[in-house]
Amino acid sequence: MRSAPAQIPTSFGHELRACLRFRLVKTYDQFRESGCENCPFFKMDEDNERVVDCTTPNFNGIISVMDPSRSWAARWLRIGRFVPGCYTLAVSEALPEELQNMCEEVHVQYVPPKRV
Amino acid sequence: MVRRFDDEDDDVEEEEYEDEEEQLLDDEDYDVDEDVGRGRGGSSKKRGRSDFIDDLAEEDDEEDEDDDDEDYGGGGGRGKRHKAPRDGSQFFDLEAQVDSDEEEEEDEGEDGFIVENGADIPDEDIGRRMHRRPLPLREDEQEDVEALERSIQARYARSSHAEYDEETTDVEQQALLPSVRDPKLWMVKCAIGRERETAVCLMQKYIDRVSDLQIRSVIALDHLKNYIYIEADKEAHVREAIKGQRNIFGAKIMLVPIREMTDVLSVESKAIDLSRDTWVRMKLGTYKGDLAQVVDVDNVRQRVTVKLIPRIDLQALANKLEGREVPKKKAFVPPPRLMNVDEARELHIRVEHRRDQLTGDYFHYIGPMMFRDGFLYKTVSMKSISAQNIKPTFDELEKFRTPSVKGEGEMVGLSTLFANRKKGHFMKGDAVIVIKGDLKNLKGWVEKVEEENVHIRPEMKGLPKTLAVNEKELCKYFEPGNHVKVVTGTKEGATGMVVKVEQHVLIILSDTTKEHIRVFSDDVVESSEVTTGVTKIGDYELHDLVLLDNNSFGVIIRIEREAFQVLKGVPERPEVSLVKLREIKCKLEKKFDVQDRYRNTVSVKDVVRILEGSCKGKQGPVEHIYKGVLFVYDRHHLEHAGFICAKAGSCCVVGGSRSNGDRNDSFSKIGNFKTPSRVPPSPRRFSRGGPPFDSAGGRHRGGRGGHDALVGITVKVRQGPYKGYRGRVVDIKGQSVRVELESQMKVVTVDRNFVSDNVVVSTPYRDTSRYGMGSETPMRSSRTPLHPYMTPMRDPGATPIHDGMRTPMRDRAWNPYAPMSPPRDNWEEGNPASWGTSPQYQPGSPPSRAYEAPTPGSGWASTPGGSYSEAGTPRDSGSAYANAPSPYMPSTPSGQPMTPSSGPYIPGTPGGQPMTPGTGLDAMSPVIGPESEGPWFMPDILVSVNKSGEETHGVILEVLPDGSCKVALGSNGSGDTVIALPSEMETVPPKKSDKIKIMGGSLRGLTGKLIGVDGTDGIVRIDDSLDVKILDLVILAKLP
């Protein structure tokens, strides 16, 4: 194993949310309990409110990436360097500005989703 | 020790890489080494070999070292750093890595049993980096927190950009396109609704089985039911992975072609922007399809509160609340209506007025339903509304506008509208206005359009040349007078002129219906195109006279979706009914003549005045006649598309001459003679007209009554012994007509009803008519600019006639009365307002061309000589004429066609008097170029004068009888006054927004402003009437 995979969603329904920055998909509760494996700096596990800000229930499609570094799909979607886990293909919402600033602080580039 | 050395070597290199990261850890080098030693101990021999490769690979690595470092920095470690469990996985990793190295050496192509078979070199690199990384990680655990923190900070500080390598420029993305070496996508059938679940399950399976599954990823798309994609190198891997999955059935595994792989992943990100005030539509239930406005969004619970216009049947509600029996099945959906609380109370429905705990606002409660301002506030699941491509119609938005929030509401509507704009909404050159932000109300023009930003050139001075503005903050801007076309929405396709601008709502005067339509300025583009939207359904066109089911009849005055509005032929009062296509029996195309109050014959296209009834005093050409009912078109009549229905008996023909003339071009002269006032003041024009008059008049003037339109025109005998013969009407006596047959030199008498005057003339005759028409141009041109233009069109057929000329008998063919163009068009030609209204005039259809360019001048200009050369070169025709017994032939080598007739007839025609053969020719013949413009000169216009080789501008002060002009030199007429010959002058073509004067056509003499140019047409706003007309540029002269 290259890296520990992210938590796998425990359900597949409405509770699923996607991290706006890393597109990781988990349930609300999972985010609340352990945050997003890719972006600990958001500290979602410490601040439950943050979960709502950082994640969205509106996402499109799920991709389970077993082997991010060697998956073409993961590379294409620019998630090739994240931990293995379930991601979404696209989120449509942008990260709130406050959190975008936070990204900047830790030098994580943030590219808002392109509008169709 | 060799190994040891290697390792050290390796480590040194690693340090080079990672010195930034590891500077803090340097002192722990020993530990590191030990770790490595332990880790690699088991495979020392292999390691030795792989190191060699490693070095090679390292070179590669070094090339993109920076990238790698940074990539790595963000790539794997950070998230898991703290947690990275110290299990044995690293060791496995190394082993696997080494194995793959070996394989690579042997040959990658062989399908081996070893897992990494398909891995390509870049992957290899990643793998290698992966195994190198764990070193510091393990350190981390032994590090004190402070050092760790510093190390992290140092790393983050360094890799300040491209952390996650996610800049998705198109080029970069291109580089990621799948190649044959990448894993493939396989499509697998799975249970409907279980796509996500399956993807997640496979992930879990992968984790549980500790990577002996060799699939790379599993993709479940929301929009693709019943299938999931699995990314793997081999079908066998897929098979292995899906074994035992209960949601995946079928053994069918389909390979996605490499070219389509990107399509699988390129989902349009659903731009659900469910923020407050967004317009949405309900998807389900009573309100299905209704427009609603988002009031509140609960993202966690996936619920939205929307504002709706309630569809509540109060009576039914009251019944229900009182426990009375309610029919289970709803018979109908109540119409949307704002809730009236008082009304509800009257029905004894309990209405509470209390505060909502969540929002703190007051609502009226009826049971669980919340109302405010009459709107229903309803909380629904996000799934039950659709927020995409919602285009509220104008009417819907109107309803949502409560008086209290009028202004606000409008802005809100606006912004939502913008959210749904199509791409390419703005185009370079569009006039726009900023509606939001600091620059609000700044007007400008679009210079450049980028993804989201539009660069505009601001109107105001002192601002940067261009400003980038978010397209959402822009709105198209129009001014009254702009001619626009509606490009989206319910009124799509209509064109018209903007008459009023109310914020972002435009009121447009439709070209078709002459009605006002209200549209969003966003749905509109500026266009000079004059279309009518739909003008035809089936065989029936706008303004056709149709027979309806119940034997009534009427004129189609408007075409709606699948139905026509028909103005019924009921003279007493205007009666309009909506008629479906199938209710129309047929089109009535027969032409009838009726008699007006004074027993004058009225035919189609005659101009009549209405003497009685509500439309008394109106006048216009007759468009249709049926059963004694006239349909008169008066463009000043604003109702019913300008049509008035009147009994023939309550109308009188206006200026019989005009109708005659209109019907039969050549006859117009009669009218002109009778009413000298119509003769244009310019002697030149007059003279030009001379010859034709003569030619025509010489023959018939004596006997003609002047009011009977039929005399002189070519008719075809439809019945009787002469059926099929064609001839010219020489006389009319009661019901019988004397027709001079063309093919036999004799005059026969036929019943008037047996002839049809709507002859499609065959070529030779056309030519005749050409001369006829041309010759009488001066008169007509002043009124009906078209005819001269039509002349050249006929020309191709001209030649035969010249030959014909040789025989004295055919001389007659010269007669301008001879065949005319289908007479009915004339009035329309003369009536520019109607250009837009009738589909024939739409650009593009060949016949309409003629009408589009309504000016004589243009006609000539556009077919210079073409006509004549085709008709036979001057010489040819000359020879033709030489044979003809005409005295004038020698006089004008180039102009023969004209002169022949004029010579002899001059004496007879008062109008023709001043004319010399030469001028006649000049005026007539397209070849003659500049002189053909001569007749158009008129006072006040700017001309360029070319006297003695010097070209100067001047303003015409006066047009002298001989055609030359008194010109004040200087571009504003301030200089000397000189006399210039027409050949020495040229009009100055106007440019957009120049003041112009119209030199020809029915509007001759009027001034206006050129507000646009479309090809050879100019769009002119007439000063007096503010009407916008489309006129040929050639007849427009610039004013100083």
Side-chain angles (χ1 to χ4, degrees):
Chain A
M1 290 300 295
R2 309 225 140 75
S3 48
Q7 281 179 316
I8 304 307
T10 50
S11 77
F12 323 103
H14 302 307
E15 318 77 56
L16 281 187
R17 299 180 72 87
C19 170
L20 287 172
R21 170 62 185 83
F22 290 89
R23 312 217 291 267
L24 185 72
V25 174
K26 295 203 287 187
T27 64
Y28 175 74
D29 290 335
Q30 282 174 317
F31 273 118
R32 211 182 55 202
E33 281 156 22
S34 47
C36 168
E37 281 85 344
N38 287 306
C39 48
F41 53 87
F42 278 155
K43 301 200 170 66
M44 283 190 232
D45 41 346
E46 289 166 30
D47 182 359
N48 289 345
E49 288 287 301
R50 187 61 64 71
V51 178
V52 179
D53 293 340
C54 289
T55 63
T56 171
N58 297 318
F59 56 85
N60 199 336
I62 280 193
I63 174 167
S64 297
V65 185
M66 286 83 186
D67 194 346
S69 59
R70 289 189 294 171
S71 157
W72 165 79
R75 244 179 298 147
W76 179 258
L77 294 170
R78 309 274 175 168
I79 52 176
R81 306 193 189 282
F82 301 171
V83 298
C86 294
Y87 291 83
T88 179
L89 298 180
V91 289
S92 48
E93 282 161 65
L95 207 55
E97 212 156 290
E98 180 200 344
L99 294 164
Q100 289 191 25
N101 294 338
M102 213 174 211
C103 284
E104 217 169 279
E105 275 167 33
V106 294
H107 305 289
V108 172
Q109 192 199 8
Y110 177 71
V111 186
K114 271 183 199 148
R115 269 299 150 90
V116 190
Chain B
M1 222 44 235
V2 171
R3 186 195 67 79
R4 179 71 208 162
F5 178 76
D6 281 349
D7 274 348
E8 252 171 3
D9 194 9
D10 208 13
D11 288 336
V12 167
E13 276 186 45
E14 277 171 23
E15 274 168 40
E16 267 170 38
Y17 277 32
E18 297 155 5
D19 48 356
E20 303 99 318
E21 293 171 19
E22 292 183 30
Q23 54 202 0
L24 297 164
L25 311 171
D26 273 350
D27 50 343
E28 261 99 29
D29 246 349
Y30 179 69
D31 289 348
V32 171
D33 281 349
E34 207 168 64
D35 274 350
V36 171
R38 263 191 283 139
R40 293 179 185 173
S43 59
S44 62
K45 199 184 156 209
K46 281 178 181 171
R47 181 69 199 160
R49 282 175 68 192
S50 68
D51 273 342
F52 172 62
I53 295 156
D54 217 6
D55 286 343
L56 288 182
E58 226 71 78
E59 275 170 32
D60 276 348
D61 273 359
E62 261 153 2
E63 276 166 30
D64 43 29
E65 190 181 329
D66 292 341
D67 274 344
D68 283 348
D69 271 353
E70 281 161 25
D71 287 349
Y72 184 70
R78 182 156 9 109
K80 59 179 190 274
R81 168 151 306 178
H82 303 280
K83 295 176 190 161
R86 190 175 176 152
D87 57 19
S89 61
Q90 282 96 338
F91 302 104
F92 292 123
D93 199 18
L94 286 174
E95 290 275 36
Q97 209 55 58
V98 168
D99 279 353
S100 88
D101 283 347
E102 230 172 8
E103 277 237 298
E104 208 174 88
E105 230 177 27
E106 281 161 24
D107 186 0
E108 233 189 80
E110 267 191 44
D111 276 6
F113 38 86
I114 295 176
V115 291
E116 302 281 345
N117 185 29
D120 49 18
I121 285 167
D123 284 346
E124 198 64 57
D125 288 342
I126 292 162
R128 195 169 301 283
R129 265 176 272 128
M130 286 299 220
H131 82 244
R132 217 178 283 132
R133 292 298 144 163
L135 304 177
L137 290 189
R138 262 163 284 157
E139 292 317 306
D140 290 350
E141 286 170 18
Q142 289 147 23
E143 268 299 295
D144 61 330
V145 179
E146 215 177 85
L148 175 67
E149 206 171 61
R150 265 180 290 151
S151 94
I152 289 171
Q153 263 167 11
R155 175 183 296 184
Y156 287 154
R158 180 178 55 86
S159 52
S160 57
H161 60 94
E163 268 270 77
Y164 280 81
D165 191 21
E166 271 187 302
E167 293 150 294
T168 45
T169 62
D170 289 344
V171 180
E172 279 178 35
Q173 196 74 45
Q174 284 296 308
L176 294 177
L177 282 172
S179 72
V180 283
R181 304 177 68 188
D182 285 315
K184 289 143 195 81
L185 283 181
W186 309 83
M187 210 175 171
V188 180
K189 217 165 184 179
C190 94
I192 293 184
R194 305 276 178 167
E195 297 85 7
R196 283 184 175 190
E197 183 184 332
T198 310
V200 173
C201 284
L202 282 168
M203 185 74 210
Q204 192 62 53
K205 186 175 176 184
Y206 176 84
I207 293 169
D208 294 345
R209 302 267 297 266
V210 197
S211 77
D212 71 340
L213 285 187
Q214 283 137 57
I215 53 173
R216 305 276 194 258
S217 66
V218 179
I219 299 156
L221 298 176
D222 285 357
H223 57 264
L224 182 75
K225 301 259 177 272
N226 216 186
Y227 287 98
I228 58 165
Y229 294 94
I230 296 179
E231 188 188 7
D233 290 312
K234 293 196 172 38
E235 192 180 330
H237 299 163
V238 179
R239 249 177 234 296
E240 175 69 19
I242 62 176
K243 205 193 279 171
Q245 288 286 313
R246 62 190 171 107
N247 288 324
I248 296 181
F249 17 79
K252 212 172 160 199
I253 298 173
M254 286 165 283
L255 176 68
V256 177
I258 205 163
R259 239 174 288 133
E260 293 167 23
M261 279 168 74
T262 56
D263 298 335
V264 171
L265 293 181
S266 54
V267 285
E268 304 260 302
S269 69
K270 263 194 279 172
I272 299 186
D273 196 6
L274 275 184
S275 52
R276 263 187 69 103
D277 298 333
T278 315
W279 292 114
V280 295
R281 273 187 206 284
M282 309 301 288
K283 278 202 266 193
L284 304 166
T286 321
Y287 296 97
K288 184 172 175 182
D290 278 10
L291 189 72
Q293 193 173 22
V294 176
V295 181
D296 194 25
V297 186
D298 182 348
N299 268 320
V300 179
R301 289 167 55 217
Q302 294 273 290
R303 316 250 327 146
V304 193
T305 306
V306 292
K307 185 169 111 176
L308 279 165
I309 300 174
R311 287 178 182 270
I312 289 169
D313 183 351
L314 280 177
Q315 191 58 54
L317 186 70
N319 291 346
K320 196 176 151 195
L321 290 174
E322 285 169 29
R324 264 175 271 161
E325 196 52 43
V326 192
K328 263 277 178 295
K329 208 177 158 196
K330 274 182 204 156
F332 68 105
V333 178
R337 199 165 139 256
L338 291 179
M339 170 63 70
N340 186 334
V341 176
D342 299 331
E343 223 173 277
R345 286 196 173 117
E346 270 171 36
L347 287 164
H348 308 291
I349 297 173
R350 206 174 118 91
V351 183
E352 283 178 83
H353 189 69
R354 63 179 150 92
R355 202 185 190 127
D356 179 47
Q357 293 104 327
L358 288 172
T359 54
D361 288 329
Y362 280 96
F363 287 95
H364 289 284
Y365 283 83
I366 299 178
M369 293 184 288
M370 291 157 68
F371 298 93
R372 201 169 72 169
D373 296 329
F375 291 103
L376 171 66
Y377 285 73
K378 195 175 159 79
T379 304
V380 295
S381 155
M382 272 186 194
K383 291 259 147 65
S384 69
I385 55 172
S386 101
Q388 263 174 314
N389 294 323
I390 304 301
K391 278 204 175 288
T393 64
F394 194 83
D395 296 338
E396 283 176 318
L397 289 185
E398 277 298 82
K399 284 185 203 148
F400 263 87
R401 269 172 53 183
T402 47
S404 56
V405 288
K406 199 171 176 179
E408 190 200 349
E410 204 147 51
M411 281 315 290
V412 164
L414 200 56
S415 54
T416 327
L417 285 177
F418 292 177
N420 293 321
R421 275 205 287 232
K422 283 184 210 149
K423 253 190 186 151
H425 179 79
F426 290 107
M427 299 223 276
K428 193 179 171 192
D430 280 353
V432 289
I433 185 165
V434 182
I435 48 147
K436 258 192 217 165
D438 301 341
L439 298 172
K440 191 170 172 179
N441 290 336
L442 176 75
K443 291 170 200 164
W445 294 271
V446 175
E447 275 290 301
K448 200 169 95 184
V449 183
E450 281 171 2
E451 196 88 327
E452 273 197 342
N453 288 333
V454 178
H455 294 257
I456 62 164
R457 178 162 46 89
E459 187 188 47
M460 224 185 292
K461 295 231 163 64
L463 286 169
K465 237 187 215 159
T466 57
L467 295 166
V469 185
N470 189 304
E471 63 154 15
K472 297 236 163 76
E473 292 170 6
L474 282 180
C475 181
K476 286 190 186 174
Y477 180 73
F478 297 92
E479 273 178 351
N482 289 151
H483 194 267
V484 295
K485 181 179 181 187
V486 184
V487 288
T488 44
T490 45
K491 304 281 187 343
E492 184 170 339
T495 60
M497 193 174 69
V498 177
V499 290
K500 202 171 171 205
V501 182
E502 287 173 354
Q503 288 190 330
H504 63 290
V505 176
L506 303 181
I507 298 178
I508 295 174
L509 180 67
S510 159
D511 286 329
T512 327
T513 55
K514 304 287 175 237
E515 282 167 2
H516 285 169
I517 46 179
R518 282 160 68 95
V519 291
F520 296 116
S521 60
D522 229 42
D523 294 344
V524 157
V525 290
E526 190 158 9
S527 158
S528 57
E529 189 183 336
V530 176
T531 57
T532 47
V534 189
T535 58
K536 201 171 180 182
I537 304 180
D539 290 335
Y540 307 111
E541 245 176 294
L542 196 64
H543 301 176
D544 274 349
L545 180 67
V546 291
L547 188 66
L548 305 177
D549 257 356
N550 43 6
N551 265 351
S552 62
F553 57 94
V555 173
I556 298 174
I557 53 170
R558 187 166 161 189
I559 295 186
E560 296 176 355
R561 229 166 260 183
E562 290 166 12
F564 304 88
Q565 262 189 25
V566 173
L567 174 68
K568 291 270 198 70
V570 194
E572 293 79 33
R573 66 202 139 76
E575 188 186 323
V576 177
S577 56
L578 201 62
V579 174
K580 289 256 160 59
L581 180 61
R582 61 169 185 277
E583 294 172 80
I584 296 179
K585 263 190 181 158
C586 64
K587 193 147 116 181
L588 295 166
E589 285 179 297
K590 252 190 197 168
K591 298 275 175 278
F592 297 90
D593 284 351
V594 285
Q595 290 189 324
D596 70 1
R597 171 170 292 193
Y598 309 109
R599 312 227 137 220
N600 290 322
T601 307
V602 182
S603 315
V604 169
K605 294 298 167 191
D606 286 351
V607 176
V608 297
R609 173 178 293 132
I610 296 162
L611 302 171
E612 294 173 337
S614 56
C615 295
K616 186 178 172 184
K618 305 243 178 192
Q619 75 175 56
V622 175
E623 291 292 322
H624 299 287
I625 301 174
Y626 192 70
K627 289 190 178 165
V629 174
L630 307 180
F631 288 95
V632 180
Y633 178 73
D634 179 357
R635 65 192 175 93
H636 301 293
H637 186 66
L638 296 177
E639 289 170 279
H640 311 128
F643 276 89
I644 301 164
C645 177
K647 254 193 222 143
S650 50
C651 302
C652 77
V653 178
V654 181
S657 55
R658 181 186 307 196
S659 62
N660 290 340
D662 282 323
R663 183 138 13 135
N664 173 357
D665 291 46
S666 44
F667 254 70
S668 63
K669 68 181 184 307
I670 298 164
N672 290 329
F673 291 144
K674 279 181 167 176
T675 53
S677 63
R678 278 231 191 91
V679 176
S682 152
R684 217 188 139 67
R685 301 164 57 70
F686 217 137
S687 66
R688 223 164 30 102
F693 295 151
D694 305 336
S695 60
R699 235 182 134 68
H700 299 292
R701 200 166 330 116
R704 236 171 303 120
H707 73 274
D708 200 316
L710 214 52
V711 174
I713 69 168
T714 296
V715 297
K716 194 170 176 181
V717 182
R718 293 189 290 121
Q719 282 175 38
Y722 295 103
K723 180 178 174 182
Y725 281 80
R726 201 162 25 213
R728 197 167 41 77
V729 177
V730 291
D731 204 355
I732 294 177
K733 276 190 184 125
Q735 270 303 298
S736 51
V737 184
R738 281 167 61 76
V739 178
E740 188 181 58
L741 301 181
E742 283 166 357
S743 53
Q744 302 174 13
M745 282 185 14
K746 69 182 183 187
V747 177
V748 296
T749 306
V750 284
D751 190 284
R752 187 172 177 150
N753 293 329
F754 287 0
V755 297
S756 83
D757 62 349
N758 200 6
V759 180
V760 179
V761 205
S762 60
T763 334
Y765 300 101
R766 285 181 172 212
D767 191 56
T768 326
S769 76
R770 165 179 100 183
Y771 293 134
M773 288 175 61
S775 55
E776 42 115 31
T777 317
M779 305 300 200
R780 305 203 47 78
S781 58
S782 65
R783 211 176 69 229
T784 53
L786 260 250
H787 299 156
Y789 181 80
M790 293 163 73
T791 318
M793 293 195 41
R794 302 246 164 93
D795 288 340
T799 322
I801 236 242
H802 292 299
D803 293 333
M805 303 302 288
R806 285 180 213 157
T807 64
M809 178 268 246
R810 291 301 227 132
D811 192 11
R812 261 181 254 139
W814 262 49
N815 189 323
Y817 305 142
M820 265 349 313
S821 59
R824 62 194 307 271
D825 294 318
N826 301 340
W827 227 85
E828 284 166 30
E829 292 146 17
N831 182 353
S834 64
W835 297 342
T837 62
S838 154
Q840 289 130 269
Y841 304 124
Q842 281 179 25
S845 64
S848 72
R849 248 2 272 186
Y851 306 121
E852 246 207 325
T855 62
S858 76
W860 296 349
S862 64
T863 55
S867 42
Y868 271 71
S869 50
E870 275 178 54
T873 59
R875 206 204 315 263
D876 286 349
S877 50
S879 68
Y881 293 127
N883 293 333
S886 54
Y888 30 75
M889 187 271 288
S891 66
T892 55
S894 68
Q896 302 86 335
M898 239 6 274
T899 26
S901 49
S902 66
Y905 295 128
I906 283 178
T909 52
Q913 289 290 10
M915 171 262 189
T916 62
T919 52
L921 286 174
D922 293 346
M924 270 316 294
S925 65
V927 226
I928 298 180
E931 278 216 85
S932 64
E933 282 170 23
W936 306 110
F937 290 129
M938 53 200 306
D940 297 336
I941 64 171
L942 191 67
V943 289
S944 69
V945 185
N946 190 349
K947 251 187 176 336
S948 61
E950 255 181 90
E951 196 164 314
T952 49
H953 284 284
V955 179
I956 296 184
L957 297 176
E958 194 185 342
V959 180
L960 303 174
D962 65 348
S964 56
C965 300
K966 209 187 248 179
V967 179
L969 295 179
S971 53
N972 43 15
S974 53
D976 298 338
T977 305
V978 296
I979 305 284
L981 294 173
S983 59
E984 294 167 340
M985 294 183 296
E986 256 180 76
T987 55
V988 177
K991 292 192 192 67
K992 198 177 167 181
S993 71
D994 279 349
K995 299 278 291 171
I996 55 98
K997 189 159 190 174
I998 300 166
M999 296 185 289
S1002 59
L1003 303 170
R1004 177 176 157 91
L1006 293 178
T1007 57
K1009 189 178 170 193
L1010 187 65
I1011 55 175
V1013 176
D1014 177 24
T1016 58
D1017 292 337
I1019 300 147
V1020 176
R1021 180 157 60 223
I1022 310 290
D1023 284 341
D1024 293 345
S1025 53
L1026 291 179
D1027 283 349
V1028 174
K1029 303 280 180 199
I1030 298 185
L1031 298 169
D1032 201 285
L1033 278 178
V1034 179
I1035 59 158
L1036 304 180
K1038 189 177 172 176
L1039 288 176

